[in-house]
Amino acid sequence: MKFLVLGATGMAGHMIAMYLCEQGHHVTTYSRTAFPYGNNIVGDITDRQFLQALLTTTDVDIVINCIGMLNNACEQYPAKSIFLNSYLPHAIAAHLKDHQTRLIHLSTDCVFSGKAAPYYEKSPCDGETFYDRTKGLGEIDDNKHLTFRNSIIGPALQKDGIGLFNWFMQQHGSINGYTGALWTGVTTLTLAKAIEQAAHEGLTGLYHLVNTTNISKYDLLQLLNQYFRNNTISIVPDSLVNVDKTLIKTRHDFSFVVPSYEAMIVEMKDWMLQHKNLYPHYHL
């Protein structure tokens, strides 16, 4: 299949682009800075003429939107965050209206506040921060395109990258692990595999990409400690933070099975060892 990955240098985007390339797909990538995998296109996605040309002149089956602004940046640049998080997914869908090309858009469990868990595909978005609300407005739920709603963990190409894994790999000695922070996310590698399968099966609408149980951030850090740090980090149970954004999958029209948390972490470790040149900052 032919894919266009938007935001190819990000935590999710680089993994998705590289995985699809290695599976033999024809992958075109878009990024603000050069990306050495796939047929890379560099430009300004906020330029509407560039966006239109990118979507209408690139011959692909699937557009994967990995572009987004996160919490602090949303507060600092509200206009840009509304454009990228809220407007852009709908603009992409509008540009593809008369084309066979489909969109797979990535959303987040942060569209929910954590005050009324568990959350289902049809649960009202009750996120309270500016970031939460912009991501909720950007979700696409129709019978042509697909929105995967989930949280992700994975390696970043940059040492100063974002995310729990990047933070954990820079820690030493003793850290706190929140026993009351419950999570139902996936690794970026699992997300890439699910995207490939969803593209083949023609999955549409809004889908919670999760397995059947949640895990605390404390237990998740224990898995990272075991497989990435040889249990050299002391993780202290901490009940200070209690937030539950557990997602429940109610749909049964997709054959992909999300592995256990331990299996996903093991697969991620194997991937990173096979691509050590990408991640020198993790000292694998």
Side-chain angles (χ1 to χ4, degrees), residues 146-160:
L146 168 65
T147 294
F148 270 144
R149 187 192 279 157
N150 53 262
S151 180
I152 56 173
I153 188 172
L157 292 176
Q158 305 83 13
K159 183 178 181 179
D160 60 347

Side-chain angles (χ1 to χ4, degrees), residues 28-30 33 36 53 67 92 120 163 169 232 241 256 260 272 284:
T28 300
T29 59
Y30 159 77
T33 57
I67 293 173
I92 294 171
Y120 306 89
M169 293 298 285
T232 58
V241 173
F256 186 84
S260 69
M272 292 178 65
L284 298 170

